[in-house]
Amino acid sequence: MKFKLIFGQNNRLVSRLAKALSEGGDTCEKIQAQNSKNYKDIAVFDENFCLNMQDDSFIYSNQLCKYAHVYHVNEIYTPSIKQKPFWWAFPKYHKVIKLEKYCMQNAKLIIANSKMLKNEICETFAIDPARIKVVYDGVNLIENLSKAQAKLSLTNELDIDFELCIVLFSSEDFKKDGLDSFLTLLSKVKQKFNILILGDDKNMAFYKNLSKSLGLNALFLGKVMQYRKFFEASDIFILPSNSKRFANIVLEAMSYKNVVFASRTNAICEILDEKFILNEESQNLIEAFMINYDSCLKRGEKNYKIAKIYNMQDQISQLCTLLRSLT
């Protein structure tokens, strides 16, 4: 079978999917779409692709495309567009809303990366739930983790206390992922601990001042290229995200044997135990892990086993099976 794999994001996933399909005897062509964060580019890519569509390939896409037989969805645009002031006055928004509705109604199969997203698609577009399959995002598992050695190396590098628990936050959008809530939560914890914050943000000064005003000594490390050493050295990862989109970074943190906490509004909560979904009492559990470090290590091991269930290789296998079942 000849496949066209269209991606506007997650090139790593599409590359591995193309490899798996090719190893099974199929022909694959990868097509880079426009920036999926730009509404105008989304519509332009679809128009250009339709003009150049000249064969009967089976099309998988994680980008809006009229010809997609399988549409792999990580988020939907229509609800967020309709929350924008005067959205109806901009033609580009109408084009994307119309295109998204068409894709949802005409794709042979819709793949959603969470049950939360599946429900949102059904409610927004009146789609039969039977046409939507849930395939959770996967992670690459790291072999031979050495958290103690990684922590010793990082604490020496940053000149922080090895004996204290490391709490990590990582994001490309501090507001969306709730850095203010993260800092406020940790200001209530009575134990001493280290705070590492990864990522860059235009309002960095605001968050640094907030941290100081809350009595915290957080290290803002900016955007880092080699993030493994931070995830491997840390003990607790917290993401109070306001976004519904499945926060794969929490799953990554679990694969590095961290205790994790996340917000109920985010789809990642579907794979977490109830007590690790953030609430008004979460600081007590965080404090308990800091006091009893053995329990922190044991929970990290449990989280690693959970991450193994959601490994990328199994995700690719599920996608290959779904695609071939439709051809």
Side-chain angles (χ1 to χ4, degrees), residues 198-238:
L198 308 182
D200 199 6
D201 190 277
K202 61 183 180 181
N203 295 313
M204 184 74 78
F206 167 80
Y207 292 104
K208 287 183 176 180
N209 289 333
L210 176 61
S211 174
K212 290 179 181 178
S213 70
L214 291 171
L216 299 172
N217 187 25
L219 292 181
F220 288 78
L221 301 174
K223 188 174 182 179
V224 297
M225 299 303 295
Q226 300 295 328
Y227 67 88
R228 170 177 173 168
K229 65 180 181 180
F230 299 99
F231 279 78
E232 190 170 359
S234 59
D235 302 297
I236 299 174
F237 182 88
I238 304 173

mmCIF file of all heavy atoms in Angstrom, residues 198-238:
data_model
loop_
_atom_site.group_PDB
_atom_site.id
_atom_site.type_symbol
_atom_site.label_atom_id
_atom_site.label_comp_id
_atom_site.label_asym_id
_atom_site.label_seq_id
_atom_site.Cartn_x
_atom_site.Cartn_y
_atom_site.Cartn_z
ATOM 1 N N LEU A 198 12.691 24.938 33.872
ATOM 2 C CA LEU A 198 13.237 24.904 32.520
ATOM 3 C C LEU A 198 12.283 25.583 31.554
ATOM 4 O O LEU A 198 11.063 25.459 31.669
ATOM 5 C CB LEU A 198 13.456 23.454 32.060
ATOM 6 C CG LEU A 198 14.254 22.529 32.964
ATOM 7 C CD1 LEU A 198 14.409 21.165 32.304
ATOM 8 C CD2 LEU A 198 15.601 23.115 33.314
ATOM 9 N N GLY A 199 12.848 26.303 30.598
ATOM 10 C CA GLY A 199 12.026 26.943 29.580
ATOM 11 C C GLY A 199 12.230 28.444 29.553
ATOM 12 O O GLY A 199 12.678 29.045 30.534
ATOM 13 N N ASP A 200 11.879 29.023 28.407
ATOM 14 C CA ASP A 200 12.002 30.463 28.246
ATOM 15 C C ASP A 200 10.609 31.057 28.085
ATOM 16 O O ASP A 200 9.702 30.402 27.577
ATOM 17 C CB ASP A 200 12.846 30.777 27.010
ATOM 18 C CG ASP A 200 13.400 32.185 27.039
ATOM 19 O OD1 ASP A 200 13.221 32.867 28.063
ATOM 20 O OD2 ASP A 200 14.006 32.596 26.038
ATOM 21 N N ASP A 201 10.426 32.275 28.525
ATOM 22 C CA ASP A 201 9.116 32.907 28.465
ATOM 23 C C ASP A 201 9.308 34.422 28.440
ATOM 24 O O ASP A 201 10.198 34.966 29.110
ATOM 25 C CB ASP A 201 8.284 32.495 29.687
ATOM 26 C CG ASP A 201 6.825 32.916 29.580
ATOM 27 O OD1 ASP A 201 6.511 34.072 29.906
ATOM 28 O OD2 ASP A 201 6.000 32.075 29.168
ATOM 29 N N LYS A 202 8.462 35.106 27.663
ATOM 30 C CA LYS A 202 8.598 36.553 27.538
ATOM 31 C C LYS A 202 8.344 37.285 28.857
ATOM 32 O O LYS A 202 8.772 38.428 29.044
ATOM 33 C CB LYS A 202 7.645 37.082 26.460
ATOM 34 C CG LYS A 202 6.174 36.838 26.744
ATOM 35 C CD LYS A 202 5.296 37.325 25.602
ATOM 36 C CE LYS A 202 3.826 37.089 25.894
ATOM 37 N NZ LYS A 202 2.950 37.537 24.771
ATOM 38 N N ASN A 203 7.640 36.623 29.776
ATOM 39 C CA ASN A 203 7.343 37.224 31.080
ATOM 40 C C ASN A 203 8.219 36.644 32.194
ATOM 41 O O ASN A 203 7.784 36.542 33.341
ATOM 42 C CB ASN A 203 5.866 37.034 31.423
ATOM 43 C CG ASN A 203 4.950 37.775 30.456
ATOM 44 O OD1 ASN A 203 5.192 38.944 30.154
ATOM 45 N ND2 ASN A 203 3.938 37.096 29.960
ATOM 46 N N MET A 204 9.437 36.269 31.838
ATOM 47 C CA MET A 204 10.349 35.649 32.794
ATOM 48 C C MET A 204 10.534 36.509 34.051
ATOM 49 O O MET A 204 10.524 36.000 35.182
ATOM 50 C CB MET A 204 11.707 35.406 32.134
ATOM 51 C CG MET A 204 12.698 34.682 33.010
ATOM 52 S SD MET A 204 12.301 32.925 33.174
ATOM 53 C CE MET A 204 12.914 32.311 31.606
ATOM 54 N N ALA A 205 10.683 37.805 33.872
ATOM 55 C CA ALA A 205 10.906 38.699 35.019
ATOM 56 C C ALA A 205 9.749 38.645 36.001
ATOM 57 O O ALA A 205 9.961 38.671 37.221
ATOM 58 C CB ALA A 205 11.123 40.130 34.527
ATOM 59 N N PHE A 206 8.537 38.556 35.472
ATOM 60 C CA PHE A 206 7.360 38.466 36.339
ATOM 61 C C PHE A 206 7.430 37.229 37.227
ATOM 62 O O PHE A 206 7.179 37.301 38.440
ATOM 63 C CB PHE A 206 6.082 38.439 35.496
ATOM 64 C CG PHE A 206 4.854 38.037 36.266
ATOM 65 C CD1 PHE A 206 4.183 38.952 37.063
ATOM 66 C CD2 PHE A 206 4.379 36.724 36.218
ATOM 67 C CE1 PHE A 206 3.046 38.581 37.794
ATOM 68 C CE2 PHE A 206 3.255 36.337 36.940
ATOM 69 C CZ PHE A 206 2.589 37.274 37.735
ATOM 70 N N TYR A 207 7.767 36.096 36.643
ATOM 71 C CA TYR A 207 7.791 34.841 37.403
ATOM 72 C C TYR A 207 8.959 34.802 38.388
ATOM 73 O O TYR A 207 8.831 34.230 39.479
ATOM 74 C CB TYR A 207 7.822 33.648 36.449
ATOM 75 C CG TYR A 207 6.535 33.496 35.673
ATOM 76 C CD1 TYR A 207 6.459 33.868 34.333
ATOM 77 C CD2 TYR A 207 5.379 33.023 36.287
ATOM 78 C CE1 TYR A 207 5.268 33.750 33.627
ATOM 79 C CE2 TYR A 207 4.188 32.907 35.587
ATOM 80 C CZ TYR A 207 4.140 33.275 34.260
ATOM 81 O OH TYR A 207 2.958 33.177 33.569
ATOM 82 N N LYS A 208 10.068 35.398 38.021
ATOM 83 C CA LYS A 208 11.194 35.484 38.960
ATOM 84 C C LYS A 208 10.811 36.326 40.175
ATOM 85 O O LYS A 208 11.115 35.963 41.321
ATOM 86 C CB LYS A 208 12.420 36.067 38.273
ATOM 87 C CG LYS A 208 13.093 35.113 37.290
ATOM 88 C CD LYS A 208 14.348 35.734 36.693
ATOM 89 C CE LYS A 208 15.067 34.750 35.784
ATOM 90 N NZ LYS A 208 16.292 35.327 35.195
ATOM 91 N N ASN A 209 10.125 37.428 39.920
ATOM 92 C CA ASN A 209 9.674 38.287 41.026
ATOM 93 C C ASN A 209 8.618 37.593 41.879
ATOM 94 O O ASN A 209 8.617 37.733 43.104
ATOM 95 C CB ASN A 209 9.118 39.599 40.479
ATOM 96 C CG ASN A 209 10.204 40.504 39.923
ATOM 97 O OD1 ASN A 209 11.346 40.436 40.358
ATOM 98 N ND2 ASN A 209 9.850 41.329 38.948
ATOM 99 N N LEU A 210 7.739 36.836 41.224
ATOM 100 C CA LEU A 210 6.721 36.087 41.963
ATOM 101 C C LEU A 210 7.375 35.059 42.872
ATOM 102 O O LEU A 210 6.991 34.906 44.041
ATOM 103 C CB LEU A 210 5.768 35.394 40.988
ATOM 104 C CG LEU A 210 4.691 34.498 41.612
ATOM 105 C CD1 LEU A 210 3.768 35.298 42.535
ATOM 106 C CD2 LEU A 210 3.881 33.786 40.526
ATOM 107 N N SER A 211 8.376 34.372 42.341
ATOM 108 C CA SER A 211 9.096 33.376 43.131
ATOM 109 C C SER A 211 9.712 34.004 44.379
ATOM 110 O O SER A 211 9.580 33.479 45.493
ATOM 111 C CB SER A 211 10.191 32.727 42.272
ATOM 112 O OG SER A 211 10.996 31.863 43.045
ATOM 113 N N LYS A 212 10.363 35.134 44.199
ATOM 114 C CA LYS A 212 10.989 35.821 45.338
ATOM 115 C C LYS A 212 9.945 36.304 46.347
ATOM 116 O O LYS A 212 10.141 36.209 47.556
ATOM 117 C CB LYS A 212 11.824 36.995 44.834
ATOM 118 C CG LYS A 212 13.080 36.582 44.080
ATOM 119 C CD LYS A 212 13.860 37.798 43.585
ATOM 120 C CE LYS A 212 15.104 37.377 42.820
ATOM 121 N NZ LYS A 212 15.847 38.546 42.290
ATOM 122 N N SER A 213 8.835 36.834 45.844
ATOM 123 C CA SER A 213 7.790 37.357 46.734
ATOM 124 C C SER A 213 7.143 36.256 47.560
ATOM 125 O O SER A 213 6.619 36.501 48.649
ATOM 126 C CB SER A 213 6.723 38.098 45.928
ATOM 127 O OG SER A 213 5.957 37.193 45.137
ATOM 128 N N LEU A 214 7.206 35.019 47.050
ATOM 129 C CA LEU A 214 6.639 33.872 47.766
ATOM 130 C C LEU A 214 7.673 33.218 48.686
ATOM 131 O O LEU A 214 7.386 32.213 49.333
ATOM 132 C CB LEU A 214 6.104 32.837 46.768
ATOM 133 C CG LEU A 214 4.862 33.254 45.972
ATOM 134 C CD1 LEU A 214 4.571 32.244 44.859
ATOM 135 C CD2 LEU A 214 3.650 33.380 46.893
ATOM 136 N N GLY A 215 8.872 33.778 48.717
ATOM 137 C CA GLY A 215 9.915 33.245 49.595
ATOM 138 C C GLY A 215 10.616 32.024 49.044
ATOM 139 O O GLY A 215 11.218 31.251 49.803
ATOM 140 N N LEU A 216 10.566 31.840 47.739
ATOM 141 C CA LEU A 216 11.184 30.675 47.114
ATOM 142 C C LEU A 216 12.496 31.062 46.441
ATOM 143 O O LEU A 216 12.645 32.172 45.932
ATOM 144 C CB LEU A 216 10.234 30.073 46.066
ATOM 145 C CG LEU A 216 8.889 29.573 46.593
ATOM 146 C CD1 LEU A 216 7.972 29.197 45.418
ATOM 147 C CD2 LEU A 216 9.065 28.376 47.520
ATOM 148 N N ASN A 217 13.423 30.115 46.403
ATOM 149 C CA ASN A 217 14.716 30.348 45.756
ATOM 150 C C ASN A 217 14.809 29.442 44.526
ATOM 151 O O ASN A 217 15.609 28.519 44.459
ATOM 152 C CB ASN A 217 15.855 30.057 46.726
ATOM 153 C CG ASN A 217 17.207 30.444 46.149
ATOM 154 O OD1 ASN A 217 17.294 31.308 45.282
ATOM 155 N ND2 ASN A 217 18.262 29.786 46.616
ATOM 156 N N ALA A 218 13.950 29.712 43.555
ATOM 157 C CA ALA A 218 13.887 28.881 42.354
ATOM 158 C C ALA A 218 15.003 29.246 41.384
ATOM 159 O O ALA A 218 15.349 30.419 41.235
ATOM 160 C CB ALA A 218 12.533 29.051 41.676
ATOM 161 N N LEU A 219 15.564 28.219 40.727
ATOM 162 C CA LEU A 219 16.570 28.442 39.700
ATOM 163 C C LEU A 219 15.896 28.411 38.331
ATOM 164 O O LEU A 219 15.359 27.386 37.915
ATOM 165 C CB LEU A 219 17.648 27.362 39.767
ATOM 166 C CG LEU A 219 18.568 27.367 40.993
ATOM 167 C CD1 LEU A 219 19.592 26.244 40.872
ATOM 168 C CD2 LEU A 219 19.267 28.707 41.144
ATOM 169 N N PHE A 220 15.895 29.547 37.649
ATOM 170 C CA PHE A 220 15.348 29.637 36.300
ATOM 171 C C PHE A 220 16.494 29.385 35.322
ATOM 172 O O PHE A 220 17.386 30.216 35.176
ATOM 173 C CB PHE A 220 14.730 31.012 36.072
ATOM 174 C CG PHE A 220 13.442 31.243 36.819
ATOM 175 C CD1 PHE A 220 13.450 31.554 38.176
ATOM 176 C CD2 PHE A 220 12.220 31.140 36.165
ATOM 177 C CE1 PHE A 220 12.260 31.770 38.866
ATOM 178 C CE2 PHE A 220 11.026 31.349 36.851
ATOM 179 C CZ PHE A 220 11.043 31.663 38.205
ATOM 180 N N LEU A 221 16.460 28.251 34.658
ATOM 181 C CA LEU A 221 17.592 27.810 33.847
ATOM 182 C C LEU A 221 17.410 28.079 32.361
ATOM 183 O O LEU A 221 18.312 27.771 31.561
ATOM 184 C CB LEU A 221 17.844 26.318 34.082
ATOM 185 C CG LEU A 221 18.138 25.951 35.545
ATOM 186 C CD1 LEU A 221 18.221 24.444 35.715
ATOM 187 C CD2 LEU A 221 19.418 26.613 36.022
ATOM 188 N N GLY A 222 16.268 28.645 31.974
ATOM 189 C CA GLY A 222 16.032 28.971 30.579
ATOM 190 C C GLY A 222 15.813 27.738 29.721
ATOM 191 O O GLY A 222 15.590 26.630 30.210
ATOM 192 N N LYS A 223 15.907 27.920 28.423
ATOM 193 C CA LYS A 223 15.736 26.815 27.488
ATOM 194 C C LYS A 223 17.007 25.969 27.460
ATOM 195 O O LYS A 223 18.108 26.489 27.293
ATOM 196 C CB LYS A 223 15.443 27.357 26.085
ATOM 197 C CG LYS A 223 15.069 26.293 25.076
ATOM 198 C CD LYS A 223 14.655 26.923 23.749
ATOM 199 C CE LYS A 223 14.244 25.851 22.752
ATOM 200 N NZ LYS A 223 13.805 26.442 21.462
ATOM 201 N N VAL A 224 16.863 24.670 27.630
ATOM 202 C CA VAL A 224 18.026 23.778 27.646
ATOM 203 C C VAL A 224 17.924 22.797 26.482
ATOM 204 O O VAL A 224 16.838 22.363 26.105
ATOM 205 C CB VAL A 224 18.129 23.003 28.981
ATOM 206 C CG1 VAL A 224 18.334 23.969 30.137
ATOM 207 C CG2 VAL A 224 16.910 22.136 29.230
ATOM 208 N N MET A 225 19.044 22.463 25.894
ATOM 209 C CA MET A 225 19.068 21.535 24.756
ATOM 210 C C MET A 225 19.106 20.086 25.230
ATOM 211 O O MET A 225 18.464 19.220 24.654
ATOM 212 C CB MET A 225 20.279 21.838 23.868
ATOM 213 C CG MET A 225 20.269 23.240 23.275
ATOM 214 S SD MET A 225 18.781 23.593 22.322
ATOM 215 C CE MET A 225 18.965 22.434 20.972
ATOM 216 N N GLN A 226 19.859 19.841 26.293
ATOM 217 C CA GLN A 226 19.974 18.484 26.833
ATOM 218 C C GLN A 226 19.182 18.396 28.132
ATOM 219 O O GLN A 226 19.709 18.632 29.206
ATOM 220 C CB GLN A 226 21.458 18.156 27.077
ATOM 221 C CG GLN A 226 22.327 18.217 25.840
ATOM 222 C CD GLN A 226 21.953 17.164 24.804
ATOM 223 O OE1 GLN A 226 21.500 16.072 25.137
ATOM 224 N NE2 GLN A 226 22.127 17.502 23.532
ATOM 225 N N TYR A 227 17.899 18.071 27.997
ATOM 226 C CA TYR A 227 17.044 18.083 29.187
ATOM 227 C C TYR A 227 17.121 16.785 29.998
ATOM 228 O O TYR A 227 16.667 16.728 31.133
ATOM 229 C CB TYR A 227 15.586 18.366 28.804
ATOM 230 C CG TYR A 227 14.912 17.281 28.001
ATOM 231 C CD1 TYR A 227 14.264 16.221 28.629
ATOM 232 C CD2 TYR A 227 14.890 17.312 26.605
ATOM 233 C CE1 TYR A 227 13.641 15.223 27.915
ATOM 234 C CE2 TYR A 227 14.265 16.317 25.879
ATOM 235 C CZ TYR A 227 13.641 15.276 26.529
ATOM 236 O OH TYR A 227 13.032 14.279 25.805
ATOM 237 N N ARG A 228 17.716 15.733 29.425
ATOM 238 C CA ARG A 228 17.722 14.440 30.113
ATOM 239 C C ARG A 228 18.303 14.532 31.522
ATOM 240 O O ARG A 228 17.747 13.976 32.467
ATOM 241 C CB ARG A 228 18.515 13.405 29.302
ATOM 242 C CG ARG A 228 18.750 12.123 30.103
ATOM 243 C CD ARG A 228 19.456 11.021 29.362
ATOM 244 N NE ARG A 228 19.779 9.925 30.265
ATOM 245 C CZ ARG A 228 20.202 8.726 29.883
ATOM 246 N NH1 ARG A 228 20.366 8.475 28.594
ATOM 247 N NH2 ARG A 228 20.470 7.793 30.769
ATOM 248 N N LYS A 229 19.422 15.252 31.670
ATOM 249 C CA LYS A 229 20.086 15.271 32.978
ATOM 250 C C LYS A 229 19.203 15.902 34.049
ATOM 251 O O LYS A 229 19.281 15.540 35.228
ATOM 252 C CB LYS A 229 21.425 15.998 32.895
ATOM 253 C CG LYS A 229 21.352 17.485 32.571
ATOM 254 C CD LYS A 229 22.755 18.083 32.519
ATOM 255 C CE LYS A 229 22.735 19.577 32.228
ATOM 256 N NZ LYS A 229 24.107 20.150 32.185
ATOM 257 N N PHE A 230 18.332 16.824 33.664
ATOM 258 C CA PHE A 230 17.446 17.466 34.635
ATOM 259 C C PHE A 230 16.318 16.531 35.052
ATOM 260 O O PHE A 230 15.968 16.451 36.227
ATOM 261 C CB PHE A 230 16.885 18.758 34.048
ATOM 262 C CG PHE A 230 17.936 19.774 33.712
ATOM 263 C CD1 PHE A 230 18.394 19.917 32.403
ATOM 264 C CD2 PHE A 230 18.495 20.572 34.698
ATOM 265 C CE1 PHE A 230 19.370 20.852 32.089
ATOM 266 C CE2 PHE A 230 19.476 21.510 34.400
ATOM 267 C CZ PHE A 230 19.910 21.641 33.084
ATOM 268 N N PHE A 231 15.755 15.810 34.093
ATOM 269 C CA PHE A 231 14.672 14.873 34.401
ATOM 270 C C PHE A 231 15.189 13.664 35.168
ATOM 271 O O PHE A 231 14.508 13.135 36.038
ATOM 272 C CB PHE A 231 13.974 14.432 33.111
ATOM 273 C CG PHE A 231 12.963 15.415 32.602
ATOM 274 C CD1 PHE A 231 13.368 16.557 31.933
ATOM 275 C CD2 PHE A 231 11.605 15.207 32.802
ATOM 276 C CE1 PHE A 231 12.438 17.473 31.470
ATOM 277 C CE2 PHE A 231 10.667 16.116 32.344
ATOM 278 C CZ PHE A 231 11.076 17.254 31.681
ATOM 279 N N GLU A 232 16.400 13.241 34.834
ATOM 280 C CA GLU A 232 16.973 12.082 35.516
ATOM 281 C C GLU A 232 17.377 12.433 36.947
ATOM 282 O O GLU A 232 17.273 11.606 37.857
ATOM 283 C CB GLU A 232 18.188 11.564 34.741
ATOM 284 C CG GLU A 232 18.703 10.232 35.242
ATOM 285 C CD GLU A 232 19.752 9.615 34.334
ATOM 286 O OE1 GLU A 232 20.079 10.219 33.289
ATOM 287 O OE2 GLU A 232 20.239 8.507 34.664
ATOM 288 N N ALA A 233 17.803 13.658 37.174
ATOM 289 C CA ALA A 233 18.264 14.069 38.505
ATOM 290 C C ALA A 233 17.127 14.489 39.425
ATOM 291 O O ALA A 233 17.274 14.466 40.647
ATOM 292 C CB ALA A 233 19.263 15.216 38.377
ATOM 293 N N SER A 234 16.000 14.873 38.872
ATOM 294 C CA SER A 234 14.906 15.403 39.692
ATOM 295 C C SER A 234 14.146 14.289 40.407
ATOM 296 O O SER A 234 14.263 13.108 40.077
ATOM 297 C CB SER A 234 13.953 16.232 38.839
ATOM 298 O OG SER A 234 13.407 15.454 37.796
ATOM 299 N N ASP A 235 13.361 14.680 41.393
ATOM 300 C CA ASP A 235 12.588 13.725 42.199
ATOM 301 C C ASP A 235 11.081 13.864 41.983
ATOM 302 O O ASP A 235 10.357 12.870 41.947
ATOM 303 C CB ASP A 235 12.889 13.940 43.686
ATOM 304 C CG ASP A 235 14.366 13.789 44.005
ATOM 305 O OD1 ASP A 235 14.887 12.681 43.808
ATOM 306 O OD2 ASP A 235 14.996 14.779 44.433
ATOM 307 N N ILE A 236 10.631 15.111 41.847
ATOM 308 C CA ILE A 236 9.204 15.387 41.711
ATOM 309 C C ILE A 236 9.000 16.342 40.545
ATOM 310 O O ILE A 236 9.719 17.337 40.411
ATOM 311 C CB ILE A 236 8.624 16.013 43.002
ATOM 312 C CG1 ILE A 236 8.785 15.050 44.180
ATOM 313 C CG2 ILE A 236 7.146 16.368 42.825
ATOM 314 C CD1 ILE A 236 8.379 15.658 45.523
ATOM 315 N N PHE A 237 8.028 16.017 39.711
ATOM 316 C CA PHE A 237 7.687 16.875 38.576
ATOM 317 C C PHE A 237 6.228 17.304 38.733
ATOM 318 O O PHE A 237 5.347 16.468 38.930
ATOM 319 C CB PHE A 237 7.874 16.134 37.254
ATOM 320 C CG PHE A 237 7.592 16.982 36.034
ATOM 321 C CD1 PHE A 237 8.595 17.753 35.462
ATOM 322 C CD2 PHE A 237 6.322 17.012 35.466
ATOM 323 C CE1 PHE A 237 8.343 18.541 34.346
ATOM 324 C CE2 PHE A 237 6.066 17.785 34.358
ATOM 325 C CZ PHE A 237 7.068 18.557 33.788
ATOM 326 N N ILE A 238 5.979 18.610 38.639
ATOM 327 C CA ILE A 238 4.623 19.132 38.836
ATOM 328 C C ILE A 238 4.250 20.000 37.641
ATOM 329 O O ILE A 238 5.006 20.885 37.241
ATOM 330 C CB ILE A 238 4.526 19.974 40.127
ATOM 331 C CG1 ILE A 238 4.992 19.150 41.329
ATOM 332 C CG2 ILE A 238 3.096 20.461 40.343
ATOM 333 C CD1 ILE A 238 5.081 19.953 42.623
#
